[in-house]
Amino acid sequence: MAQTDPLEPVILTAAPHEWGAGVIVSALEEEGIKATMAGENTADFRVAAPSWVQVYVAQQDLARAQEILEKVQAENADIDWSQVDVGEPEAE
């Protein structure tokens, strides 16, 4: 069985706008977790193919990043989090 690379990027969440993803990335980086966004160039594009901005973290940081994401959501209650895809719950 192949081992997964702990530095392999995985999607933590997705947001419909660059600013929402930026809030998440900034909070993660303040906690020492490297994070990046992808899709920000098409997130607000409304003509043909809108997409969400995805936030990536290293596989090894995923659990801690999910905790920080919950904290960010609580601290930013004015954001309509129903518009943010936080991914599927992990199977236990």
Side-chain angles (χ1 to χ4, degrees):
M1 172 160 69
Q3 289 185 334
T4 59
D5 180 355
L7 299 177
E8 179 76 24
V10 294
I11 297 173
L12 170 64
T13 190
H17 306 286
E18 182 177 358
W19 63 266
V23 168
I24 296 166
V25 169
S26 293
L28 292 167
E29 290 179 347
E30 285 177 16
E31 294 289 334
I33 295 177
K34 289 182 119 182
T36 190
M37 297 185 283
E40 61 270 20
N41 292 331
T42 59
D44 294 318
F45 187 63
R46 302 283 181 224
V47 176
S51 93
W52 286 45
V53 181
Q54 296 174 331
V55 177
Y56 289 86
V57 297
Q59 175 69 40
Q60 68 184 9
D61 295 328
L62 183 59
R64 177 78 175 114
Q66 289 169 331
E67 292 173 11
I68 295 167
L69 176 60
E70 289 178 18
K71 179 180 167 186
V72 169
Q73 290 172 333
E75 290 174 353
N76 294 285
D78 58 328
I79 295 174
D80 183 359
W81 290 102
S82 67
Q83 297 298 311
V84 177
D85 177 6
V86 295
E88 296 295 319
E90 287 188 42
E92 292 187 32

